[in-house]
Amino acid sequence: MRSLLRTPRDLVRDASLVWLASGVVGVSFGAISVAGGLPLWVPVVLSLLVYAGSAQLSAVGVLLAGGGPLAAAATGLLLNTRTVAFGLAVADVLGRGRVARLLGAHLVTDETVAFALAQEDPARRRAAFWISGVGLFAVWNLGVLAGALAGGALGDTARYGLDAAFPAVLVALVLPTLRKDPAVRRAALLGAAVALAVTPLVPAGLPVLLALAGLALYGRHGKTVTA
């Protein structure tokens, strides 16, 4: 019983690292958007309704470059197609109710899915998903609002190297799974190789999507193991 009571506290502690990194990127996104000439409400509404870091950054990049809303929306949708695979991976975690699935689908992100799947048992995965998802949503939106209000005063946090905190935390989350499962390691290596190979050839964001090709190797080895 004591371990069950400790579980949410442990998850909050671990998820707080992701929240911190997300808040830093959110502040940067809000500041860059407003400093680039967009109204304050644009990054704020995008964060509430779209809630997808890479898609939001790409959409705002298109708008700031002179593109129209349709081009920005199309870019965001293309980059967000990867969340279809993420949604399938955590379908059993969200629960059976329609409200839970609807809210859970909005909270599906790279970080939350990675954090949930890193847990060992179903109950802990479910708790990890909701704790990480709700916390990340709140911190991201507060960060974007703070950055938008600050406007151009903060500039781009990339100059301080703070943007590196986000991918670093994500790597730390998936590292235990990579160590335990050789099939996952092989799939991850193939996905990384594909992403690196196509990075000079395709627009930003697409390498991550194409890296899903590594799942084919995982599926094949998974069938071999179970057979």
Side-chain angles (χ1 to χ4, degrees):
M1 176 66 69
R2 186 175 299 175
S3 63
L4 289 177
L5 292 175
R6 268 205 320 266
T7 297
R9 184 180 299 175
D10 294 344
L11 292 175
V12 169
R13 180 196 62 202
D14 296 341
S16 62
L17 297 174
V18 184
W19 299 342
L20 177 61
S22 176
V24 169
V25 179
V27 169
S28 178
F29 170 72
I32 292 170
S33 300
V34 174
L38 294 177
L40 184 146
W41 64 267
V42 171
V44 173
V45 172
L46 271 178
S47 297
L48 288 171
L49 300 182
V50 178
Y51 183 53
S54 60
Q56 291 178 225
L57 289 166
S58 300
V60 165
V62 171
L63 292 174
L64 293 180
L70 291 179
T75 302
L77 285 173
L78 179 62
L79 292 178
N80 252 18
T81 53
R82 72 186 189 282
T83 59
V84 175
F86 296 157
L88 294 175
V90 295
D92 60 332
V93 174
L94 302 184
R96 298 182 180 274
R98 292 184 179 180
V99 175
R101 286 184 173 272
L102 181 63
L103 293 177
H106 192 56
L107 298 178
V108 168
T109 63
D110 311 53
E111 301 77 27
T112 293
V113 170
F115 186 62
L117 295 182
Q119 313 306 316
E120 295 182 355
D121 62 86
R124 190 172 172 87
R125 279 196 294 270
R126 183 172 290 107
F129 177 87
W130 288 105
I131 289 174
S132 172
V134 172
L136 195 63
F137 181 81
V139 172
W140 171 260
N141 280 279
L142 288 174
V144 171
L145 178 60
L149 290 173
L154 293 178
D156 187 356
T157 56
R159 77 177 67 175
Y160 309 111
L162 297 178
D163 57 323
F166 209 53
V169 170
L170 186 58
V171 169
L173 286 174
V174 301
L175 198 56
T177 303
L178 292 175
R179 288 175 175 171
K180 291 180 181 179
D181 193 336
V184 172
R185 266 199 311 274
R186 288 189 289 267
L189 286 173
L190 175 59
V194 170
L196 288 173
V198 302
T199 294
L201 307 174
V202 301
L206 281 183
V208 176
L209 181 61
L210 296 175
L212 292 174
L215 293 175
L217 184 62
Y218 177 77
R220 187 174 65 186
H221 281 274
K223 292 178 181 178
T224 303
V225 172
T226 54

